[in-house]
């Protein structure tokens, strides 16, 4: 009986520790219907870097229906998109040296995956968003990135 009580106490006391542990990554999916599976990503302030693992669940090629994930201030999306179109697919639709971009992944096609690491210290003064900079995609493929304690 004492073992059972001890096991219960240990289990209950370990649960809050597990709940407090920061998750410093998330899996994000984009499809051929130009949609992400998430509308918001929560980032813990306790993470030094945060990783977004992007999987293109569609079948179309990257030059036809490619997806990436870009992190920036919400107010900068339109400008990043405009400049990214000029940069082209070879540059992942991101203008070289664009300081408005906090982080971005490469553009992937159907069945491909990529990851991007975000330096959490750069997430100050938001609000922030994540979006796809493939031409025309950011109208539908975007969401909020929320910094959490």
């Amino acid at each position: 009986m004492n073992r059972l009580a001890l096991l219960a106490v240990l289990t209950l006391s370990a649960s809050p520790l597990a709940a407090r542990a920061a998750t410093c990554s998330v899996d994000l999916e984009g499809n051929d219907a130009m949609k992400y599976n998430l509308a918001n990503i929560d980032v813990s302030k306790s993470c030094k870097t945060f990783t977004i693992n992007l999987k293109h669940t569609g079948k179309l090629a990257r030059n036809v229906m490619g997806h990436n994930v870009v992190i920036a201030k919400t107010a900068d999306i339109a400008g990043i998109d405009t400049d990214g179109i000029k940069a082209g697919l070879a540059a992942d639709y991101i203008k070289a040296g664009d300081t408005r971009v906090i982080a971005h992944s490469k553009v992937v096609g159907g069945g491909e995956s990529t990851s991007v690491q975000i330096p959490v210290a750069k997430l100050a003064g938001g609000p922030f968003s994540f979006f796809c900079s493939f031409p025309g995609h950011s109208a539908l493929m975007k969401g909020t990135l929320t910094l959490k304690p």
Side-chain angles (χ1 to χ4, degrees):
M1 183 72 113
N2 286 342
R3 279 190 187 162
L4 187 57
L6 179 60
L7 181 61
V9 168
L10 289 174
T11 302
L12 289 174
S13 65
S15 295
L17 292 176
R20 280 186 251 147
T23 301
C24 296
S25 69
V26 69
D27 295 331
L28 179 67
E29 296 178 355
N31 60 34
D32 287 341
M34 290 184 358
K35 293 190 180 194
Y36 285 134
N37 66 322
L38 300 175
N40 181 67
I41 295 174
D42 289 334
V43 177
S44 172
K45 288 181 182 178
S46 67
C47 299
K48 289 194 185 293
T49 59
F50 187 85
T51 303
I52 298 176
N53 301 305
L54 175 65
K55 181 176 182 182
H56 190 318
T57 60
K59 297 184 188 300
L60 297 173
R62 73 188 284 267
N63 64 324
V64 176
M65 185 60 70
H67 299 316
N68 66 354
V69 61
V70 180
I71 309 305
K73 287 186 177 181
T74 303
D76 291 332
I77 293 174
I80 293 168
D81 264 354
T82 299
D83 291 341
I85 290 170
K86 295 173 196 166
L89 179 60
D92 296 310
Y93 296 108
I94 298 292
K95 179 177 114 179
D98 193 335
T99 57
R100 299 168 295 185
V101 175
I102 294 168
H104 72 90
S105 72
K106 66 180 185 173
V107 173
V108 294
E112 297 177 328
S113 296
T114 188
S115 293
V116 60
Q117 288 193 334
I118 305 158
V120 176
K122 290 188 175 185
L123 298 176
F128 295 95
S129 291
F130 64 93
F131 64 98
C132 178
S133 66
F134 193 96
H137 288 200
S138 67
L140 297 174
M141 295 187 78
K142 62 185 171 187
T144 56
L145 193 97
T146 307
L147 199 56
K148 296 284 185 178

